[in-house]
């Protein structure tokens, strides 16, 4: 079995893909499902999200997302896991669009057989699920920030890689070696996320609570999983797995 | 002053760029200049290199390069620093084309003001030169391998970053933080290059001597430097700096 870590989304995934955007899209996605959401629709743009709601006015879709860390006009929620964890989404579908994470999921879905969303908060469950369904390769795909590598995503990939290596035999690539080195030498999760440029930027926007929330390790067993038949145009439908 | 490390070529460089392709293009480029070459012409494709020679039959151009680690038909030399170091190139111009390094140099040259080639072998000299000429940013650009991040380039970026941080004040990005962590925790240069996927591949091709050559730290003071007026179509002209 191959373990591959892409420090930025690359494409050409033959098997299982775990998309990682710790600050904050995949952390928030896990929080929505923890708080009872039926499904998440990850769109390729804010416009697709707004059109989805106007085309389905009766369905009570909620919109969550950000651009540059800030809320999107017309959306109900930012991209905050703390905000998500404080609400009840039972029976609701949340449409998500974010700067980096939702795009990475779309890149992954172009070729991958199984697409999961991973964060530090669900890292152990995500690794276990990936190991159970993979037949040839597990790709850990770091979303990054504006096409630049993000330390927090690489660190989380290292956490996932460490779990996976404890579960079985893998051949690993340079990306995995780098991620494992970061995991083992960049401190604990709160130290790693605090040292990352995007962590500092969120703190400067008053969103330091989100950074601390995202640094929790394996506190959830929910793994957002791309549903086989994506029945919504321009959006990927993830459900609790 | 900003210190930026791109783990893969990204573009948009406002100031000084150090292009890093440790295995093997930039290491070999330094070796050609050490052995007396007047200039290096880095082309965007093997075809441009072959055309340069046929269009300048009287000039005695030499061609060096590789695809997938192997020599290119019609070229005089592979991309081997050991081979380069064993010859005398006094008065010669070498045309280079390689899988990753020459493309990264072309990306850098699209916007950068000053383009230098860096390897472990000239790391200290390259850092010192960059520091002397930079006015706002030094970008360390890892060439990678086939659009994937290469451990050896990230490690070398960490070596350069460590030298630079000893020379002055910089704000650093996540790429620099990752590179510094690799430099400090991935062993000495021979260990780091030996653990890299591309190092193992070269060893399996019988090119382990090149890997050991490339792991030498700051043994040369030559820094290949893009000449102000590139007078050759489709090629970047580097001279000893």
């Amino acid at each position: 079995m191959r373990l591959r870590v892409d420090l930025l989304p690359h494409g050409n995934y033959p098997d299982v893909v775990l998309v990682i955007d710790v600050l904050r899209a995949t952390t928030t996605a896990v929080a929505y499902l923890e708080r009872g959401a039926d499904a998440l629709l990850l769109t390729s743009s804010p416009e697709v999200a707004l059109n989805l709601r106007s085309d389905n006015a009766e369905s009570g879709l909620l919109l969550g997302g950000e651009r540059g860390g800030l809320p999107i006009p017309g959306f109900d929620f930012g991209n905050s896991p703390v905000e998500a964890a404080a609400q009840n989404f039972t029976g609701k579908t949340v449409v998500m669009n974010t700067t980096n994470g939702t795009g990475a999921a779309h890149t992954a879905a172009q070729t991958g057989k199984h697409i999961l969303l991973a964060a530090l908060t669900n890292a152990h469950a995500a690794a276990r699920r990936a190991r159970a369904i993979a037949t040839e390769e597990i790709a850990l795909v770091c979303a990054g920030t504006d096409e630049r590598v993000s330390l927090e995503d690489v660190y989380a990939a290292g956490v996932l890689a460490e779990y996976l290596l404890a579960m079985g035999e893998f051949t690993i690539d340079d990306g995995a070696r780098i991620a494992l080195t970061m995991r083992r030498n960049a401190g604990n999760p709160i130290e790693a996320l605090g040292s990352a440029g995007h962590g500092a930027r969120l703190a400067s926007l008053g969103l330091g609570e989100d950074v601390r929330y995202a640094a929790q390790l394996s506190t959830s067993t929910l793994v957002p999983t791309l549903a086989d038949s994506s029945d919504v145009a321009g959006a990927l439908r993830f459900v609790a797995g």
Side-chain angles (χ1 to χ4, degrees), chain A residues 142-167:
Chain A
C142 301
T145 304
D146 299 329
E147 298 177 46
R148 311 289 305 278
V149 173
S150 277
L151 192 154
E152 68 276 10
D153 294 338
V154 178
Y155 181 88
V159 169
L160 286 154
E162 206 164 55
Y163 284 140
L164 286 165
L165 293 178
M167 293 174 191

Side-chain angles (χ1 to χ4, degrees), chain A residues 114-144:
Chain A
H114 306 278
I115 316 296
L116 314 176
L117 304 184
L120 287 171
T121 52
N122 74 341
H124 193 263
R128 213 171 40 211
R129 177 72 46 79
R131 184 70 186 82
I133 58 180
T135 57
E136 52 174 315
E137 178 181 283
I138 298 173
L140 311 182
V141 177
C142 301

Side-chain angles (χ1 to χ4, degrees), chain A residues 201-223:
Chain A
R201 172 168 159 74
L202 289 171
S204 76
L205 292 172
L207 298 165
E209 278 298 326
D210 278 350
V211 179
R212 283 184 285 280
Y213 184 101
Q216 301 173 94
L217 196 56
S218 301
T219 50
S220 173
T221 58
L222 289 181
V223 184

Side-chain angles (χ1 to χ4, degrees), chain A residues 182-208:
Chain A
M182 294 305 293
R183 160 57 172 160
R184 291 166 182 164
N185 297 285
N188 65 34
I190 194 74
E191 290 166 341
L193 270 56
S195 74
H198 195 50
R201 172 168 159 74
L202 289 171
S204 76
L205 292 172
L207 298 165

